[in-house]
Amino acid sequence: MSRPSGLVSSVVSSVLLWTFLACPPASCYPGGAPVMACGDMFPSGHGTEAQVSPSPYRITVPKKKYDPNTTIKISLIATVGYFRGVFVQARRVGCRVNVTEVIGSFTINDNELEAQHCFGKIHSAVTHKMPSKKTRKDIYWTPPVTPAGHVVIRATFVMEKEMFWIGVESDILVDLQEMDTPKCIASTVRPIPAYTTTTPTTPFVNYADDNVLGKYSSGAVGVHTNVAILGLILLVQALSRLTHSP
């Protein structure tokens, strides 16, 4: 009876060892986020909740708007420490849109990252390929050929197995084909300056207005009035001399 017990113990030990090797403290998915995480982008295999403290990571984009089918560089940056794991997607933002829909595709030139295919869309996400420490990674996002609406780059960053942040977002990338900003996100989108031309104009003053006359009586209106009175006096004096001349 002792042999089966010893065999069970050996099998259990082997399973535990394999589990530890497959899921080291750094990351439960050392080879990248699985497809089943495409929806909520939550690393469920880590056995803990996400951090609620401010994220030590930033996602930067070089501009605040995009044109369809024009590639944009995206930078994933650790402002403090590092990240071992990452999961990145482009998501639509708006008032009545499908915020879980993945938009566009990614290009990667890094042997520590790889593309993931979420919801059957090729290269629609980026994840880590190995759990090495990373402080910055650059990836490239290409929007669809047709307008896709306003978009954010969203990511989950994993520092260690029990320390990760979800929902880290870039600034909103405004779709130039959709100039109107939805009210529900207006406060988070920098306004797009409209192209206008201005022509200098001379302010019109209505001197018949009593308020304007009172306001400018010591200024331009007063000067004009004094000049007119002086001209009238000089005219009267000239006529008087002509009248009394022999």
Side-chain angles (χ1 to χ4, degrees), residues 50 83 106 123 167 184 187 207 217 238 243:
F83 59 94
F106 290 92
H123 294 181
C184 61
S187 61
Y207 293 112
S217 60
T243 302

Side-chain angles (χ1 to χ4, degrees), residues 82-103:
Y82 55 88
F83 59 94
R84 291 183 183 272
V86 69
F87 194 28
V88 187
Q89 295 177 8
R91 295 285 186 93
R92 196 192 307 272
V93 291
C95 303
R96 289 181 295 275
V97 298
N98 181 4
V99 296
T100 62
E101 181 183 1
V102 290
I103 306 297

Side-chain angles (χ1 to χ4, degrees), residues 7-202:
L7 179 61
V8 170
S9 298
S10 177
V11 170
V12 170
S13 298
S14 298
V15 170
L16 291 176
L17 177 61
W18 173 251
T19 301
F20 177 80
L21 293 175
C23 186
S27 171
C28 206
Y29 300 105
V35 174
M36 63 183 181
C38 284
D40 57 13
M41 302 182 72
F42 188 90
S44 57
H46 288 231
T48 186
E49 295 298 321
Q51 297 293 309
V52 295
S53 59
S55 167
Y57 307 107
R58 288 190 298 116
I59 304 174
T60 64
V61 290
K63 51 186 179 180
K64 306 304 179 187
K65 47 189 176 293
Y66 74 91
D67 287 310
N69 207 33
T70 301
T71 301
I72 297 175
K73 179 181 177 180
I74 310 295
S75 296
L76 313 172
I77 302 171
T79 57
V80 177
Y82 55 88
F83 59 94
R84 291 183 183 272
V86 69
F87 194 28
V88 187
Q89 295 177 8
R91 295 285 186 93
R92 196 192 307 272
V93 291
C95 303
R96 289 181 295 275
V97 298
N98 181 4
V99 296
T100 62
E101 181 183 1
V102 290
I103 306 297
S105 61
F106 290 92
T107 303
I108 308 156
N109 297 313
D110 193 302
N111 60 9
E112 292 186 315
L113 302 175
E114 65 181 355
Q116 181 61 280
H117 316 305
C118 287
F119 309 111
K121 295 186 177 182
I122 302 299
H123 294 181
S124 55
V126 174
T127 188
H128 57 282
K129 197 174 183 180
M130 54 187 69
S132 54
K133 292 183 178 181
K134 311 165 186 65
T135 57
R136 176 180 177 135
K137 290 294 178 182
D138 294 328
I139 57 179
Y140 299 87
W141 176 70
T142 303
V145 176
T146 56
H150 306 319
V151 170
V152 293
I153 306 301
R154 182 177 300 167
T156 294
F157 288 92
V158 177
M159 181 178 288
E160 298 292 346
K161 179 188 175 184
E162 297 182 352
M163 186 175 293
F164 57 89
W165 286 259
I166 63 173
V168 182
E169 294 184 344
S170 68
D171 289 338
I172 293 177
L173 286 165
V174 175
D175 184 351
L176 286 177
Q177 308 300 316
E178 188 177 319
M179 296 297 285
D180 293 332
T181 302
K183 292 182 179 179
C184 61
I185 62 171
S187 61
T188 60
V189 179
R190 298 183 183 181
I192 305 172
Y195 178 77
T196 58
T197 56
T198 57
T199 303
T201 58
T202 302

